[in-house]
């Protein structure tokens, strides 16, 4: 199978591509604009594979997207390209509307026009998989049950509203045009190659540099954490096994408050890099509380029963084991993150466009 992946140079997309290339014989065409969040260094482990090709293209450019479909003739699309950082969406929402909504529209139309002309055998296997977030469901009170696939949408931020809009478009294309769609909504990911503006890598890198560890508000916001490689395995199970039209929630059943996430990171760092402590007793001494994010969601939690039962998927990492792996990775890969922090990205284009 040839899979066209959008946003494959980002955090989750690169984990997905590494997983596919290392664990299957499928081919991957990675379409990525390489925004600040896209970095080809995330793919060095697999970029020499003959089954991998990269094209630097903006998904909003429909003309180029039509060309790419005709050139590569994919059997499936896994659409991850997005603006993904909530704080940036509050500062400047327009990029989120453009990439997450117009970009998804552009992907749907380029895919549909290619799919319509396929012969039946190819048409029957084609899938368009939109990779979305649990944030489309809004937030939960402490006593609410976790989100299921039937939870009504109630997004809070420009980011989650743009992803909800994209999900609605994808479902409408399924219903109106019989276009073969699948949607997955996943909880917060963490792991190697995570861009250091997000909570876990930011805290690890600030701590290693002796900088303060900022926590929004009271730090009691709850997130349901999933190790990124577990997400990549789930996405692979979905694209290779799911029926058309399905939605799956993906989550690790790891509800942790932000303050506990930060304390856990500090405790592991105290154990594994005591020499970095300097005059501190513990990395916990660096914790500092800052003003809360506007509209900050209180709690997310995913009920992953459906994907566990239908596709026999379960996460392999606990939060403790995944966090240790992540911290070890960041300690061993200082050159990756110093390059990212200094704005030195790998962006060579080997594609035809
Ligand atoms: P990311 O920000 O790390 O990566 C996004 C990638 O998309 C980057 O490589 C970027 O260059 C690319 N991109 C952005 N705009 C583009 C455009 N117009 N054309 C082509 N490429 C473009 O994001 P991520 O954390 O890897 O998330 C990937 C997907 O998973 C997103 O759709 C996100 O909404 C979803 N998701 C993320 C999480 C999470 O915890 N990170 C959880 C659930 C769902």
């Amino acid at each position: 199978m040839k899979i066209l992946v959008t946003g494959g140079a980002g955090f989750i997309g690169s984990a997905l591509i590494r997983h596919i290339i290392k664990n299957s014989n499928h081919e991957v065409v990675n379409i990525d604009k390489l925004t600040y969040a896209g970095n080809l260094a995330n793919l060095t482990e697999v970029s020499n594979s003959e089954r991998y090709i990269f094209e630097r293209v903006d998904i909003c450019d429909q003309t180029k997207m039509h060309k790419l479909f005709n050139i590569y003739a994919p059997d499936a699309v896994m659409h991850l390209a997005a603006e993904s950082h909530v704080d940036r969406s509050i500062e400047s929402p327009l990029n989120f509307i453009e990439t997450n909504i117009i970009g998804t529209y552009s992907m749907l139309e380029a895919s549909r026009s290619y799919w319509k002309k396929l012969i039946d055998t190819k048409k029957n296997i084609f899938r368009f998989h939109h990779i979305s977030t649990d944030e489309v469901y809004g937030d939960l009170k402490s006593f609410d049950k976790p989100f299921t696939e039937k939870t009504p949408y109630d997004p809070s931020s420009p980011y989650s509203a743009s992803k909800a809009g994209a999900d609605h478009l994808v479902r409408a294309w399924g219903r109106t045009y019989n276009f073969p769609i699948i949607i997955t909504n996943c909880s917060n990911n963490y792991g190697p190659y995570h861009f250091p503006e997000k909570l876990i890598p930011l805290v690890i890198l600030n701590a290693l540099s002796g900088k303060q560890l900022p926590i929004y508000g009271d730090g009691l916001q709850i997130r349901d954490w999933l190790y990124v490689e577990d997400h990549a395995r789930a996405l692979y199970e979905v694209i290779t096994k799911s029926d058309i039209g399905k939605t799956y929630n993906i989550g690790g059943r790891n509800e942790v408050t932000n303050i506990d996430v930060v304390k856990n990171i500090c405790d592991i760092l105290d154990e594994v890099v005591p020499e970095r402590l300097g005059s501190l007793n513990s990395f916990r001494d660096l914790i500092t509380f800052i003003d809360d994010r506007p509209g900050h969601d209180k709690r997310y939690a995913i009920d992953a029963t459906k994907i566990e039962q239908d596709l026999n998927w379960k996460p392999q990492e606990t939060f403790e084991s995944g966090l240790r792996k992540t911290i070890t990775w960041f300690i061993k890969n200082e050159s990756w993150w110093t390059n990212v922090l200094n704005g030195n990205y790998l962006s060579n284009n080997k594609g035809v466009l």
Side-chain angles (χ1 to χ4, degrees), residues 10-12 32-33 35 38 58-59 80 84 99 132 159 163 189:
F11 168 50
I12 300 172
D32 199 298
K33 178 180 171 183
T35 66
D58 183 338
I59 56 162
L80 295 92
S84 69
T99 290
S132 189
Y159 164 65
K163 291 296 287 188
N189 284 217

Side-chain angles (χ1 to χ4, degrees), residues 28-231:
V28 172
V29 182
N30 176 15
I31 311 288
D32 199 298
K33 178 180 171 183
L34 298 183
T35 66
Y36 79 95
N39 184 358
L40 294 182
N42 301 356
L43 290 157
T44 42
E45 288 171 51
V46 295
S47 55
N48 286 329
S49 166
E50 287 177 353
R51 291 180 288 114
Y52 168 79
I53 183 101
F54 171 67
E55 293 280 357
R56 185 172 191 174
V57 171
D58 183 338
I59 56 162
C60 298
D61 186 335
Q62 265 203 55
T63 312
K64 285 191 179 165
M65 288 313 305
H66 281 292
K67 274 193 193 150
L68 290 178
F69 273 92
N70 291 329
I71 292 167
Y72 291 112
D75 303 296
V77 172
M78 299 180 84
H79 173 40
L80 295 92
E83 290 292 335
S84 69
H85 189 43
V86 175
D87 288 345
R88 287 181 189 254
S89 83
I90 294 167
E91 284 298 312
S92 86
L94 182 58
N95 287 343
F96 288 72
I97 307 304
E98 279 170 356
T99 290
N100 301 1
I101 299 186
I102 308 285
T104 299
Y105 160 76
S106 161
M107 285 303 301
L108 284 165
E109 278 303 78
S111 312
R112 186 172 73 88
S113 113
Y114 159 78
W115 165 80
K116 267 195 312 199
K117 296 181 207 131
L118 290 175
I119 54 166
D120 280 352
T121 43
K122 274 205 107 177
K123 204 174 194 174
N124 292 338
I125 58 166
F126 188 84
R127 303 275 185 281
F128 183 99
H129 177 176
H130 183 227
I131 285 74
S132 189
T133 166
D134 62 349
E135 297 187 32
V136 297
Y137 300 124
D139 67 350
L140 294 167
K141 306 265 181 304
S142 56
F143 48 82
D144 285 336
K145 288 195 173 139
F147 303 128
T148 71
E149 289 79 2
K150 297 203 164 92
T151 303
Y153 278 27
D154 186 17
S156 318
S157 70
Y159 164 65
S160 53
S162 68
K163 291 296 287 188
D167 282 358
H168 288 319
L169 291 179
V170 173
R171 283 203 181 87
W173 260 240
R175 176 101 186 247
T176 308
Y177 305 110
N178 263 336
F179 187 58
I181 58 116
I182 302 168
I183 296 177
T184 50
N185 297 87
C186 188
S187 59
N188 280 48
N189 284 217
Y190 68 100
Y193 300 101
H194 206 177
F195 193 84
E197 66 186 350
K198 307 273 171 83
L199 179 69
I200 289 181
L202 179 86
V203 166
I204 297 171
L205 299 192
N206 274 15
L208 290 175
S209 316
K211 293 186 189 154
Q212 294 203 317
L213 311 180
I215 299 191
Y216 280 132
D218 56 9
L220 295 178
Q221 310 84 356
I222 295 172
R223 301 292 177 260
D224 184 351
W225 293 95
L226 181 68
Y227 190 63
V228 69
E229 290 173 14
D230 280 323
H231 188 192

